[in-house]
Amino acid sequence: MSETIFSKIIRKEISADIVYEDDISLAFKDINPQAPVHILLIPKKPIVNLNEGTEEDKTLFGHLLLIVQKVAREVGLDNGYRVVINNGNDGGQTVNHLHLHILGKRQMTWPPG
Ligand code: 5GP
């Protein structure tokens, strides 16, 4: 895959407001927040999107969901939150590095736009 802005954030070449980091994932505040809390959680492995995941990524994908839970707790999303993965063009994905949006501290509506 080609380099994205998120690769530069992982390498700390571009600053971001990091809220969580471990060996295989990184969470930071979205630069254009769509809710009072809007965090992006990404794998450090440069996977484009869900379509690129393989059997080899099973543990990584599971890890990301458990880190969502941890980050949400740490930032106080006690009343619930929304997790979004925009996947490909029709999904509205603009950065080609898999990322989970964690949105909270406002009432979400359904269906999404
Ligand atoms: P997508 O539309 O691909 O699902 O989401 C990409 C997200 O990345 C958007 O919400 C956008 O605001 C965020 N984003 C894009 N560039 C940067 C950046 O340089 N820093 C941060 N923190 N967020 C970014």
Side-chain angles (χ1 to χ4, degrees):
M1 69 178 275
S2 55
E3 177 92 352
T4 71
I5 195 101
F6 291 174
S7 304
K8 294 192 170 80
I9 289 174
I10 291 166
R11 294 198 302 265
K12 314 280 165 63
E13 291 168 11
I14 289 179
S15 68
D17 197 341
I18 293 172
V19 297
Y20 176 84
E21 180 166 21
D22 61 31
D23 287 350
I24 57 177
S25 67
L26 182 71
F28 50 93
K29 293 183 182 171
D30 196 293
I31 205 167
N32 183 23
Q34 302 301 311
V37 171
H38 187 172
I39 292 166
L40 300 173
L41 173 64
I42 66 173
K44 289 185 174 174
K45 179 178 175 181
I47 301 170
V48 173
N49 60 31
L50 288 177
N51 295 349
E52 305 291 317
T54 67
E55 193 68 19
E56 188 185 285
D57 300 309
K58 192 155 60 176
T59 303
L60 173 58
F61 283 7
H63 179 79
L64 291 171
L65 290 183
L66 289 173
I67 297 304
V68 166
Q69 179 195 104
K70 182 180 173 67
V71 168
R73 198 182 303 121
E74 282 177 4
V75 300
L77 297 178
D78 308 320
N79 205 37
Y81 53 91
R82 180 166 289 173
V83 181
V84 173
I85 301 177
N86 294 327
N87 207 70
N89 277 340
D90 281 2
Q93 183 175 10
T94 60
V95 178
N96 289 327
H97 184 128
L98 178 66
H99 49 283
L100 288 72
H101 296 259
I102 305 169
L103 300 134
K105 293 286 183 191
R106 72 167 165 82
Q107 181 62 59
M108 301 298 159
T109 58
W110 194 263

